[in-house]
Amino acid sequence: MKKKLYLLAFVTFSLLMSSCTKDSESSTEEKSNFLKVETTQYELTNGLAEDYSQSSNNNIYNIDLTLLTAEFTINGEQYTGNGRGMYFEAFSSVANKLETGVYQYNNTQKSQSFDDAVYYDNTDGKDLEIEIKSGTITITKSKNDYYELTFECVDEQDRKISGRYFGNVNYVSNLMQ
């Protein structure tokens, strides 16, 4: 009887330990920053937030957010390099940052919307810009120089483009002055 109890305890302990390992591996994977075009995934490492808040229209503020792969270098409001990225022209009711919430793609320029978005790829030396035709951005945490967000979009070629970015961005303020 004791052998059966020991065996049962060993099997239970083994199952618990193996399930913990899988959980920690998947949470590490979930924390990576990425840009995914259909089934191909790229790592996002850089971000740029350009603040046009000085040109408020009915207390709606424009922040342009650009997320880039490691092949780009950001210096101030400029970036150089040959890689891939996403650009969003987004609108917020909070000055100097994009407020938390779900942003819808549309042409209203209302709070929690974006009206211009582009996937770009210049890895082969050509500046390929593909317009986004629908989608959402979900921002779960924001400061002017730090964002936690995910996005789900469809481009003009009907490809699914998604991504995740948790990290610092190079914040450039008052671009309209």
Side-chain angles (χ1 to χ4, degrees):
M1 184 69 165
K2 282 185 180 181
K3 287 182 181 179
K4 288 182 181 179
L5 285 175
Y6 287 128
L7 181 60
L8 180 61
F10 176 74
V11 170
T12 303
F13 179 75
S14 298
L15 288 173
L16 289 173
M17 291 306 293
S18 67
S19 67
C20 289
T21 302
K22 290 177 185 175
D23 287 346
S24 63
E25 287 172 4
S26 66
S27 66
T28 301
E29 181 179 311
E30 290 172 4
K31 291 184 180 179
S32 65
N33 294 332
F34 67 90
L35 165 65
K36 188 174 182 180
V37 180
E38 292 287 300
T39 59
T40 306
Q41 187 166 303
Y42 310 98
E43 182 181 11
L44 291 172
T45 60
N46 300 302
L48 175 64
E50 298 169 286
D51 184 353
Y52 295 93
S53 290
Q54 293 299 317
S55 63
S56 167
N57 182 15
N58 297 322
N59 293 321
I60 302 297
Y61 304 94
N62 175 215
I63 307 284
D64 292 358
L65 186 63
T66 306
L67 305 172
L68 303 165
T69 58
E71 296 85 6
F72 287 99
T73 302
I74 298 176
N75 185 11
E77 64 186 86
Q78 303 295 319
Y79 56 90
T80 57
N82 293 316
R84 293 173 175 84
M86 284 296 297
Y87 164 82
F88 301 101
E89 180 180 33
F91 300 92
S92 175
S93 63
V94 178
N96 307 102
K97 70 175 187 173
L98 296 172
E99 65 195 296
T100 59
V102 178
Y103 289 66
Q104 299 290 326
Y105 178 83
N106 59 50
N107 290 321
T108 64
Q109 294 188 352
K110 292 184 177 179
S111 180
Q112 296 192 355
S113 70
F114 64 103
D115 70 347
D116 188 17
V118 175
Y119 161 68
Y120 46 89
D121 178 352
N122 68 353
T123 54
D124 61 3
K126 298 176 187 172
D127 286 332
L128 179 63
E129 294 186 2
I130 301 170
E131 295 286 327
I132 298 302
K133 67 179 190 177
S134 66
T136 60
I137 307 167
T138 303
I139 298 177
T140 55
K141 187 172 184 180
S142 71
K143 296 192 300 186
N144 58 5
D145 65 348
Y146 180 86
Y147 286 94
E148 293 184 4
L149 63 90
T150 58
F151 55 91
E152 298 276 337
C153 301
V154 176
D155 71 12
E156 64 188 358
Q157 297 176 0
D158 289 325
R159 295 181 302 178
K160 181 180 177 188
I161 298 178
S162 59
R164 179 183 189 280
Y165 189 84
F166 280 33
N168 291 318
V169 297
N170 192 29
Y171 174 74
V172 182
S173 65
N174 302 324
L175 288 169
M176 294 301 288
Q177 289 184 337

